[in-house]
Amino acid sequence: MRTVSDTVSVRLYHLADGDDGGGASTLFYGPLTEAMTIAAAQPEEVQESLFIATENDVVAYLDLIEG
């Protein structure tokens, strides 16, 4: 993820699997710090399918916190 500012606007979304191909549900749009707090509060099984998108990158939430 190229962006390092905690205040950059991001989209936090959950990418669900499904018989119909699944879909993305936006959980939050706003500052990275708030997105990280919201993501951390989700159950572990939800965290596995969370992604954070900036205007030029997308990264899996778990990859971001493990990196």
Side-chain angles (χ1 to χ4, degrees):
M1 187 179 231
R2 293 180 209 152
T3 306
V4 293
S5 172
D6 289 341
T7 60
V8 68
S9 288
V10 299
R11 175 184 173 214
L12 171 65
Y13 65 95
H14 178 253
L15 190 57
D17 290 330
D19 293 337
D20 61 353
S25 300
T26 299
L27 301 178
F28 176 76
Y29 184 81
L32 177 60
T33 53
E34 288 184 54
M36 296 297 286
T37 300
I38 292 167
Q42 302 303 309
E44 188 174 316
E45 60 273 5
V46 172
Q47 288 181 5
E48 293 172 357
S49 300
L50 290 180
F51 293 85
I52 295 178
T54 67
E55 66 181 43
N56 57 11
D57 285 309
V58 175
V59 65
Y61 169 70
L62 292 180
D63 289 346
L64 185 60
I65 63 171
E66 292 174 1

